[in-house]
Amino acid sequence: MFHLIVGISSFFSFLDIDAYIGVNIGTDLSDMPTPTEVVALLKAQRIRHVRLYDADQAMLLALAKTGIQVTVSVPNDQLLGIGQSNATAANWVARNIVAHVPATNITAIAVGSEVLTALPNAAPILVSALKFIDSALVASNLDDQIKVSTPHSSSIILDSFPPSQAFFNRSWDPVMVPLLKFLQSTGSYLMLNVYPYYDYMQSNGKIPLDYALFRPLPPNKEAVDANTLLHYTNVFDAVVDAAYFAMSYLNFTNIPIVVTESGWPSKGDSSEPDAIVDNANTYNSNLIKHVLNNTGTPKHPGIAVSTYIYELYNEDLRPGSDSEKNWGLFDANGIPVYTLHLTGADTVFANDTTNKTFCIAKRGADPKMLQAALDWACGPGKVDCSPLLMGHPCYEPNNVASHSTYAFNAYYQRMAKSPGTCDFKGVATITTSDPSHGSCIFPGSSRKNGTLINGTSLAPSSNDTSSARPPQSYGTGFFTTSVMIGVLLTGAVFL
């Protein structure tokens, strides 16, 4: 099980560290992408930073040799053991860090998640856990490369407006003071989860929607801190500056902040009327531009705040309200939920993701169903399946899953990706990852001369044990339905 956050670099001048935008990947999906598929999407989107909510071994292996910077996490259910035993912490680091570097570019460890509010009984050992983890890194000469911190809920900040009067909940001083000393001494940063959506929802109408969404405000609508005369045009900056001021209140003024979670849901139930696609698009688009433009905050103008967007995928199995399932930028097939408005930021995400879609065989699909669909596509479906014949470029891997993927995609592309043309009685699905491999170039691919755009092939392995035979005889009577998996938007995802 893993969660993932992805990021895009821009220079962070405060204390000479890099700033980035990130995205969480949850695992409560009915059709969870494999680590290979996740990494393919990261590559296609030019994402250079990721954060895992745990230390999933398969995900760490998939990220190896990609150059992507990785933050791994100690889950809350492992925190007590690590915080009470230096040896347990050392074993965790040996198994989850040392075993993977330098092939996997691990740069940080997040110890627990919102421990003070979600797991308060573990608060007394939180700083010990961080110190034990850091000691293990020191022993392995990795402490300069890998920083250690712990994400906090912004609710630990009391009286967050005006920011200049903000302070951490005093009951947590016995934890926060030694924690901040640790972060300062190790050159690490405060991790903070910032959710203007919840601030807006809980404000009883006091916070305007435009203020929560980074929409432009006239000067007379900006929030002004009467003590500093700083003007705030959005909730995000106000919360981040509140954290800076809260640290100053405890005499810590040189610790940067990384926002480890932020986002906006694209769908909600009847009690959440502002959890809609347009608002999610507006918030995340504006947030990304805000960070990458090095806008900074009123307290620290020009100093970008590294931020992780929650989240990369919608999680249809996540418990709770509809909004809990719909924070993602993509569905499980890598199809965008909406088109982010990032004109001019083409170095951040890959262009035209929505138009680069392919139809592939579903993982675990019944081989007999795949064979029937393959026969139909190469017969009544009028797909040119000659590349699948022995001696031709797409014959290998010689299995029904691989051959079906080629035929399904050829039909899908020939039908101009029309709704219902990638279903094949439920054994096909849409992906944004190019399934071309070797000299087998799929219809719709922009690959040339044996090179994949995203560097990753999703073609089934030649070790696949599914039944297979070259598609030289074809059945009849198979038909596609009008159901298309995922939401296919028009236009570019990241312009």
Side-chain angles (χ1 to χ4, degrees), residues 206-224:
K206 293 181 181 178
I207 294 179
L209 181 61
D210 287 349
Y211 183 62
L213 293 174
F214 289 94
R215 284 178 177 151
L217 298 173
N220 65 332
K221 296 294 184 181
E222 295 175 355
V224 180

Side-chain angles (χ1 to χ4, degrees), residues 216-299:
L217 298 173
N220 65 332
K221 296 294 184 181
E222 295 175 355
V224 180
D225 186 325
N227 300 314
T228 61
L229 300 183
L230 294 174
H231 286 235
Y232 288 87
T233 61
N234 61 81
V235 174
F236 181 90
D237 283 351
V239 174
V240 171
D241 272 0
Y244 278 128
F245 278 109
M247 286 193 288
S248 297
Y249 184 83
L250 296 176
N251 297 315
F252 295 92
T253 58
N254 60 348
I255 299 174
I257 291 173
V258 169
V259 173
T260 36
E261 293 179 18
S262 193
W264 197 283
S266 61
K267 183 181 178 182
D269 56 31
S270 58
S271 65
E272 300 174 297
D274 293 298
I276 58 174
V277 165
D278 184 61
N279 288 343
N281 191 347
T282 298
Y283 180 81
N284 284 324
S285 296
N286 287 338
L287 173 62
I288 292 170
K289 289 184 286 188
H290 186 68
V291 172
L292 296 183
N293 289 342
N294 289 326
T295 304
T297 66
K299 180 172 173 58

Side-chain angles (χ1 to χ4, degrees), residues 140-221:
S140 299
N141 294 317
L142 293 172
D143 54 306
D144 288 336
Q145 171 187 336
I146 302 173
K147 297 304 177 183
V148 182
S149 188
T150 182
H152 296 287
S153 165
S154 62
S155 65
I156 67 169
I157 304 170
L158 302 183
D159 295 335
S160 59
F161 202 91
S164 62
Q165 294 182 191
F167 57 94
F168 296 120
N169 187 327
R170 296 302 300 273
S171 66
W172 294 122
D173 278 3
V175 177
M176 289 303 300
V177 172
L179 171 63
L180 294 173
K181 286 182 179 179
F182 169 82
L183 299 179
Q184 185 178 65
S185 67
T186 59
S188 190
Y189 36 82
L190 181 75
M191 293 179 171
L192 189 69
N193 295 341
V194 179
Y195 282 104
Y197 172 74
Y198 289 124
D199 292 326
Y200 165 75
M201 288 290 291
Q202 296 165 8
S203 72
N204 296 318
K206 293 181 181 178
I207 294 179
L209 181 61
D210 287 349
Y211 183 62
L213 293 174
F214 289 94
R215 284 178 177 151
L217 298 173
N220 65 332
K221 296 294 184 181

Side-chain angles (χ1 to χ4, degrees), residues 86 89-102 109 131-146:
N86 203 344
N91 288 336
W92 190 94
V93 169
R95 183 175 63 256
N96 299 302
I97 306 298
V98 177
H100 293 280
V101 295
I109 301 173
K131 289 181 176 179
F132 289 160
I133 292 289
D134 188 62
S135 294
L137 294 175
V138 171
S140 299
N141 294 317
L142 293 172
D143 54 306
D144 288 336
Q145 171 187 336
I146 302 173

Side-chain angles (χ1 to χ4, degrees), residues 457-491:
S457 170
L458 297 185
S461 165
S462 59
N463 295 323
D464 193 312
T465 58
S466 301
S467 62
R469 61 181 173 87
Q472 297 181 21
S473 62
Y474 311 115
T476 59
F478 198 92
F479 58 91
T480 57
T481 71
S482 60
V483 178
M484 181 175 66
I485 298 173
V487 179
L488 181 60
L489 304 180
T490 57

